[in-house]
Each structure stands twice: as C-alpha cells, then as structure tokens.
Amino acid sequence: MIRVGVHSGQQYANFDECLELWTQAEELGYDWVSLFDHQRPPLGGPDGPCFDGPTLLAALAARTRRIRCGMLVSAVTWRHPAMAASIAATLDHVSGGRLEFGVGAGGADLAYDQYGLPFPRTGDRLDMLDESCEIMRGLWTRDRVDYEGEHYRLTGAALAPKPVQERLPLVIGGGGEKRTLRTVARHADVWNTLVTDIDTYRHKKDVLRGYCEEIGRNPDEIRMSMTFRVVLGEDETRAEERRRERMALLPAGSPDVGEYLAFGTAEQCVEALLPYVRLGVGDFLLGLRPPVDRETMRIFAERVAPALRQAAAGLDGSRSADLVRR
C-alpha cells in the first residue's frame, strides 16, 4: 500500500500557519504529516524561527483526526531514550494511536554551538542510536526494563501508560551503510531517507537486505520511506515559471536544492517516482517549508498520489500517466 505524506517541519512564525498546513494536508487526503526534531536548524539562518518538535506535534495531533502524525526524526543527542520513550507514548495517546516516531544519530544543528550542547563523535552517536532503539522498544512493551550499555543504564525501569498502538512504529532515518542500515535491520519498522538517485537507492536496499539476512529478519517487515521535494505546475510552462520562483527563494548553496526530485507536470513527477515504487518504496513524503508551495501540495495529492497507488497495485508506467491526464 502506498502512503503519501507531507514533511512540514516547524520553521513557521506562528502556530496558526503550521496548523493550517496540517489541516489542509488532512483535507486533501494525505496519509501522513510530520515534523522534525531540530532545535536550531541551519536552514533559515542562525536566528530563524523553529518551534519545539514534540510540543508542537502534541498540539497538532490534538487538532487533527485521521492523518498519521510523524516525528522525522528525533536526534539521540537531545534526550535520554527513556525520556524519548515517554514523550512518544504520550504523543501516541494524544493522537489516539496515530504516532510514528522517528529517531536518528543526529546531524547539523546550530544549537550545539549556540546552546553549548555536547555533540558526540559519529561513532558514539551511532552506538547511542542502537542502544536507544532497544531501550525505547523495551519500555513500550515490557513491564520492567534492565539495561546495561555503553551509554545508558536502566534498572527496573517502568513506563506507564504504554502507547495506544500495540506496536508503535519506530522510524529510523539515515542511509549509512556500515552502521545505520545495520541498526535499521535490527530495530526499524520504517526506514526513511532523503531522495537519492535510483542506483544508489537500490544499492542501499540491497545492503539492508543483507543485514536482515544476517540476523534472520524478513526485510519485507521494514517499510521503505523517502522524503523529497518537487515543484509542480499544471503544464510545463507554468512548472518552469514556478521552478524559477522557488529557486529564487533559496540562498546560494542551499542544501535544499539536492532534495528536489522533479520540476514539471504531474505526469513528469509520476515518471520520476515510478522507479522507486518498483523498488518497493511505500511512503512518499513531500517536503514543504515556508513559504508553503500549496499549488504543488494540491497537484501532488490530486493527480500524483492516485497514479502512484494505481502503479503499486499493478499498473504500468504508461497507464499511470494516462490516469494523471484525465
């Protein structure tokens, strides 16, 4: 089953602006909407706006009814995994069992310098990620947890109430082949990455499958999720006009540019995404940041998403393109 979503982030000047986006995503039929868990993201400059992730997610979850509510992703550097597990369980109750909680080893964030927060070396953060996943799952599912690791220790630890969902989906973000994908194989319900070229993605999928085989896990148990950006228009002329407008908003050298998969029509977007559908990607998450590209958001929901779902159900690429043109 294909799910389509919006990765909204939380770099908004006020709550109402973010709530409007989440409400519209639900009304347009998206399956998922998510925040990240940066404190001071480098995008937007050193003093740009950024709401706290878990606090905002609770407020938005309480104001929506159907859509899956994602955290994509929470860095292990911000809080002890027992605290993260408690936050996630609380969010699952607030949302009525709609949470999907993402974790990662952490990356660039201005808060480490601005707030004087420790930023462990890469190897330590990857160890922390693996230990955190084990601790969180234990606290979500067991009455008591004892754990002795390199970075964390729990003694008779309890968490109540448990999440609403019998198995709260744990999303692991990242594509590192030596360590991160091994952790994905061990712990993830969903594996999320930023868009890459199709050959790179296929290779990483094969690496993940190899790690699953090593531990005796069925790789089909892990849902594949991809976050990307596109700019869409009703025709190629409009799409090119909108591409120029969007690029003009980005500062020189912006890391956002590499996340754009397509600039064009709905048909061209479907063509760009179909190879990932064939590889087994189940979640397609459209990245949006203010000023929100509502035209792309609408076109993707109304014309791209149905074609992707039909393709996943067995239609070939040409039939999917025909569906979009109707």
Side-chain angles (χ1 to χ4, degrees):
M1 178 185 72
I2 293 291
R3 300 191 305 183
V4 296
V6 169
H7 182 48
S8 73
Q10 58 259 33
Q11 293 181 267
Y12 300 88
N14 56 73
F15 173 71
D16 287 344
E17 186 178 0
C18 195
L19 176 60
E20 181 182 9
L21 173 60
W22 276 55
T23 301
Q24 184 180 15
E26 190 164 59
E27 291 172 348
L28 283 170
Y30 280 95
D31 305 296
W32 157 295
V33 65
S34 55
L35 304 178
F36 51 63
D37 197 15
H38 281 287
Q39 302 296 328
R40 304 298 308 149
L43 294 167
D47 55 354
C50 184
F51 285 112
D52 175 73
T55 307
L56 184 62
L57 187 56
L60 293 167
R63 300 284 290 272
T64 52
R65 291 291 174 265
R66 174 193 57 79
I67 206 161
R68 300 293 291 178
C69 302
M71 177 63 75
L72 198 64
V73 296
S74 181
V76 295
T77 52
W78 296 143
R79 53 187 74 87
H80 190 284
M83 297 176 63
S86 179
I87 288 170
T90 302
L91 287 167
D92 203 40
H93 278 266
V94 171
S95 67
R98 291 180 289 129
L99 177 69
E100 305 207 9
F101 193 72
V103 291
D109 195 298
L110 298 173
Y112 297 113
D113 289 332
Q114 287 189 4
Y115 299 164
L117 299 174
F119 188 59
R121 66 180 185 87
T122 302
D124 286 339
R125 287 185 284 115
L126 290 167
D127 290 339
M128 292 163 66
L129 175 61
D130 196 74
E131 291 186 20
S132 293
C133 292
E134 189 169 345
I135 289 168
M136 288 188 294
R137 183 64 70 195
L139 289 170
W140 291 336
T141 58
R142 289 153 47 195
D143 292 335
R144 294 283 178 179
V145 176
D146 293 299
Y147 185 86
E148 188 76 39
E150 183 70 25
H151 298 277
Y152 306 111
R153 178 185 177 189
L154 280 72
T155 304
L159 177 64
K162 301 297 185 189
V164 174
Q165 299 173 85
E166 184 176 351
R167 183 176 178 88
L168 196 160
L170 184 61
V171 184
I172 297 180
E177 295 177 16
K178 292 183 178 180
R179 296 288 308 279
T180 301
L181 291 181
R182 190 181 295 273
T183 297
V184 170
R186 291 186 60 198
H187 300 291
D189 299 292
V190 181
W191 167 46
N192 176 263
T193 63
L194 292 173
V195 64
T196 66
D197 65 86
I198 193 67
D199 290 336
T200 299
Y201 195 91
R202 182 183 294 107
H203 171 70
K204 290 183 183 295
K205 178 186 176 182
D206 290 342
V207 171
L208 176 58
R209 180 174 293 274
Y211 287 141
C212 287
E213 290 174 354
E214 286 181 13
I215 63 174
R217 185 180 185 189
N218 181 355
D220 294 337
E221 295 175 359
I222 303 171
R223 188 174 185 86
M224 295 193 296
S225 166
M226 188 177 74
T227 306
F228 60 95
R229 301 181 192 281
V230 293
V231 172
L232 303 178
E234 294 294 344
D235 54 44
E236 292 190 21
T237 300
R238 174 60 177 160
E240 174 58 23
E241 175 186 324
R242 303 201 63 253
R243 184 195 67 80
R244 292 195 299 267
E245 292 172 352
R246 179 57 49 172
M247 292 299 101
L249 296 172
L250 299 178
S254 172
D256 270 13
V257 175
E259 297 177 15
Y260 281 90
L261 180 66
F263 302 91
T265 63
E267 292 91 344
Q268 291 167 331
C269 183
V270 171
E271 183 178 356
L273 290 173
L274 277 176
Y276 300 93
V277 174
R278 296 188 185 106
L279 271 184
V281 175
D283 292 351
F284 292 90
L285 309 182
L286 174 63
L288 295 174
R289 287 196 180 101
V292 174
D293 185 351
R294 298 189 185 277
E295 185 172 347
T296 289
M297 184 180 176
R298 175 186 58 78
I299 293 173
F300 191 89
E302 294 178 353
R303 300 174 62 188
V304 177
L308 296 179
R309 293 188 177 109
Q310 291 286 0
L315 296 176
D316 61 20
S318 60
R319 173 59 175 157
S320 297
D322 289 340
L323 283 169
V324 180
R325 295 189 186 100
R326 292 179 182 176

